[in-house]
Amino acid sequence: MKRIILAVVLSASLGGCASFQAFEQKLQNVVQAATSATVSRKAVVVSGNVANGIIQAATDYLNFCAVNNTNVVCKKTAIAKLIPEVRRVQENRNRLEVFLRDHPGQLGQMGLYDALNQSVSAINDVLMAYRLNGAVQ
Amino acid sequence: MSIIFQTVLTLIQALLPNLGGNAALVQKILDALIQIVPVLIQEYNHLLPIVKNIIETLQGNDATTEAQLIALQELDAQVDAAFDDAAAKYDAEGNLIAPSS
């Protein structure tokens, strides 16, 4: 962002410089590409389902530990990390779905899509770190 | 939950950016999902609607994707309600605060 602001300031002060205008055009292209990157609606819907599968895994784990609290796989630190991570996934998934609903026929926004995937990966990381993946059978 | 199911989901997630126009990849994902369906029916029935929605989305066209989006939002509500119930049994430190029903 600082670079973009600097570019705008430089642009204003060097407006007459042809080489800078070329640079400015390139910069605009990069910023435009970064902010308008999209993903197919199909990929978003599948991604939402993957998120739900991971949320369900977390739910199964919490339910398992509620009745098997002394089981070796039931760790307070894991549970304390898992719950806020799931909330983050729910938030990101909902934001992405609201975007699709409010923009019928348009592609999904890459930033929202990446945020969802990153938060899903964070849950996977917790499950892996505490070796909980196969815990609930 | 079966580690196989979670692994399949993680793989699908990683492959999603390459889906566009890649019919062979879509078919491979569908084959993998269809193979785990019998296991889900036997042991993880509650996961079936999620897999069904993924399969129908991948098999469908743009018009059916809209129907799957609506179905997904209904699944969201069910999955979130189940999670809220489970999470309510614990405090912020991960201690069990309510006996399981």
Side-chain angles (χ1 to χ4, degrees):
Chain A
M1 183 54 81
K2 279 180 184 171
R3 286 182 186 170
I4 295 169
I5 294 168
L6 180 64
V8 171
V9 173
L10 282 173
S11 171
S13 58
L14 300 172
C17 175
S19 62
F20 186 80
Q21 281 174 346
F23 164 76
E24 185 190 18
Q25 186 57 50
K26 278 183 190 167
L27 184 72
Q28 277 176 356
N29 292 344
V30 169
V31 171
Q32 197 175 4
T35 53
S36 63
T38 53
V39 61
S40 79
R41 292 173 79 82
K42 198 174 263 200
V44 171
V45 172
V46 173
S47 189
N49 279 291
V50 169
N52 282 345
I54 300 299
I55 294 170
Q56 191 60 60
T59 304
D60 289 348
Y61 172 69
L62 295 179
N63 284 332
F64 174 83
C65 290
V67 289
N68 301 281
N69 203 235
T70 55
N71 190 295
V72 68
V73 301
C74 297
K75 301 175 177 93
K76 284 195 297 184
T77 46
I79 292 168
K81 282 185 183 175
L82 207 50
I83 292 174
E85 292 293 356
V86 170
R87 301 271 186 231
R88 202 161 297 131
V89 167
Q90 291 171 322
E91 214 171 280
N92 288 329
R93 179 204 62 199
N94 293 346
R95 211 173 290 155
L96 191 52
E97 288 174 12
V98 164
F99 179 87
L100 282 200
R101 204 185 54 211
D102 292 347
H103 299 82
Q106 285 185 29
L107 297 172
Q109 228 183 26
M110 192 55 114
L112 296 174
Y113 175 78
D114 285 344
L116 175 60
N117 284 339
Q118 279 162 15
S119 55
V120 167
S121 296
I123 293 187
N124 267 328
D125 290 346
V126 174
L127 294 174
M128 294 292 256
Y130 291 88
R131 301 184 191 287
L132 309 177
N133 305 56
V136 184
Q137 295 296 330
Chain B
M1 182 175 74
S2 163
I3 190 167
I4 298 168
F5 179 66
Q6 198 181 330
T7 306
V8 170
L9 288 184
T10 307
L11 280 175
I12 292 172
Q13 187 196 9
L15 292 171
L16 278 179
N18 305 316
L19 273 190
N22 191 338
L25 179 61
V26 169
Q27 193 54 52
K28 277 183 182 163
I29 294 173
L30 284 171
D31 289 346
L33 287 172
I34 289 165
Q35 276 181 14
I36 64 168
V37 164
V39 181
L40 296 180
I41 289 171
Q42 278 184 345
E43 297 187 45
Y44 308 102
N45 229 301
H46 60 306
L47 299 173
L48 265 178
I50 293 170
V51 172
K52 188 170 169 274
N53 194 290
I54 295 176
I55 291 173
E56 287 175 356
T57 302
L58 291 176
Q59 283 177 329
N61 53 31
D62 287 348
T64 53
T65 299
E66 299 313 304
Q68 297 316 315
L69 176 60
I70 294 167
L72 170 62
Q73 287 176 319
E74 287 166 10
L75 284 173
D76 292 348
Q78 291 168 25
V79 168
D80 289 356
F83 177 78
D84 287 345
D85 285 349
K89 296 168 185 162
Y90 299 90
D91 67 14
E93 278 77 45
N95 297 301
L96 197 57
I97 52 172
S100 181
S101 55

